[in-house]
Amino acid sequence: MPKKLIVANWKMNPETLAGALSIAKGSREAEKAAKNVSLVMCPPALFVGDLLREFAKGPKKGRASFGLQNLFWEKSGSYTGEVSPAMAKSLGLDYVILGHSERRALGETDELIEKKVAAALKSGITVVLCVGEKERDEHGEYLHVIEEQLKKTIPVLPKPKLGSLVIAYEPLWAIGAGARSAATPEEVFSITIFIRKVLTGILGKDAAMKMEILYGGSVDAANAVPMIVQGGVQGLLVGRVSLNAKAFGEILKTVGSIK
Ligand code: PGA
């Protein structure tokens, strides 16, 4: 059985390095105890170096896996405040979350996201590309929103590179402290079918069927398993709960118990 991918999006938390080390320690222990679960922690970029030194020692296989929450598209140069895929790769980072709705809300457009996705994939970093509608409407316009996001942000690249692309479905109304609620597993299931249909149009059936799709938005220990089993996703993108190592450990444990 393929491992379930759990991506922890810490966002701009916690406030201290000591806090980050403590969350990573608890999460890593829970990952080790869970079967068939692969954890990627995405802390603020500033903490990544210390976390890698502490938790990602030794041979690549069996190491803790870390990712970033954003990356720029150039390798180096006069881009004040940015971090490049080459830098991430040089530290041994495996993943990056791109196109998150909170970054889109700060002005990141589909065009910028597409450039970032292309650069990260070319550097050999797995991209977790977030898509999702702001709200649902009875005419199904929200499906059009998701379709456009996929069409505009998946770059034209050779198939092997696109093999390290993962799609995360994150409806905005289900994300963060102000969320209405998590999506239901039924809603997630129908969206995964829709996403695969759109991906088939972009990448062909083979690549579309192989692509991992995650769900994110108010994931907790109670809804994690139904999201995967009935929602038909291959993993989860977890925000708030990933900051509480104990509660997050529960998610890893329940997901690890899926037969
Ligand atoms: P949440 O956030 O789990 O706190 O709803 C998910 C996300 O924004 O990735």
Side-chain angles (χ1 to χ4, degrees):
M1 187 171 57
K3 287 193 171 188
K4 307 286 180 289
L5 177 61
I6 311 283
V7 180
N9 179 9
W10 294 4
K11 308 189 179 183
M12 200 171 72
N13 300 295
E15 284 177 29
T16 64
L17 175 60
L21 289 165
S22 148
I23 297 168
K25 185 165 184 273
S27 305
R28 177 70 178 141
E29 273 161 23
E31 182 198 11
K32 283 190 192 155
K35 267 195 212 121
N36 282 323
V37 173
S38 168
L39 168 66
V40 178
M41 291 178 267
C42 300
L46 200 57
F47 295 150
V48 157
D50 284 278
L51 291 168
L52 284 166
R53 268 190 294 282
E54 190 65 29
F55 299 102
K57 290 177 225 156
K60 193 162 173 125
K61 206 165 175 285
R63 266 200 221 162
S65 190
F66 289 92
L68 292 175
Q69 303 166 16
N70 183 31
L71 274 180
F72 198 60
W73 56 82
E74 296 287 354
K75 274 199 178 126
S76 59
S78 309
Y79 304 102
T80 302
E82 298 293 350
V83 171
S84 80
M87 293 167 185
K89 199 68 203 163
S90 80
L91 283 187
L93 285 165
D94 306 307
Y95 283 79
V96 63
I97 299 170
L98 290 174
H100 192 280
S101 57
E102 287 158 10
R103 294 206 53 84
R104 290 179 190 258
L106 290 171
E108 203 162 284
T109 60
D110 285 332
E111 290 67 31
L112 298 188
I113 296 165
E114 192 259 355
K115 286 169 94 165
K116 292 180 175 192
V117 173
L121 289 174
K122 279 189 206 154
S123 302
I125 295 171
T126 299
V127 172
V128 178
L129 173 61
C130 302
V131 297
E133 77 282 4
K134 212 182 239 158
E135 51 212 345
R136 294 223 164 177
D137 59 297
E138 52 190 41
H139 306 297
E141 184 55 28
Y142 68 95
L143 293 173
H144 185 63
V145 170
I146 297 168
E147 180 171 2
E148 285 300 297
Q149 287 176 343
L150 289 167
K151 284 186 176 162
K152 289 185 176 160
T153 57
I154 296 181
V156 182
L157 286 177
K159 290 252 155 65
K161 299 272 183 224
L162 286 163
S164 7
L165 180 63
V166 175
I167 306 293
Y169 171 57
E170 291 215 312
L172 274 65
W173 47 267
I175 294 177
R180 179 158 28 103
S181 64
T184 64
E186 293 74 25
E187 284 168 331
V188 172
F189 184 66
S190 57
I191 291 291
T192 60
I193 292 175
F194 177 74
I195 289 177
R196 285 201 201 281
K197 190 172 142 238
V198 176
L199 291 174
T200 301
I202 306 172
L203 305 168
K205 195 162 180 200
D206 261 19
M209 292 303 152
K210 275 191 213 137
M211 195 157 295
E212 283 178 290
I213 302 178
L214 314 182
Y215 167 76
S218 298
V219 170
D220 57 26
N223 63 26
V225 172
M227 274 323 162
I228 291 174
V229 175
Q230 289 137 41
V233 288
Q234 288 68 56
L236 303 164
L237 178 49
V238 187
R240 278 158 296 160
V241 178
S242 71
L243 297 169
N244 177 333
K246 193 160 175 276
F248 187 54
E250 285 301 312
I251 295 183
L252 297 174
K253 193 170 152 198
T254 63
V255 171
S257 71
I258 297 174
K259 293 271 184 317

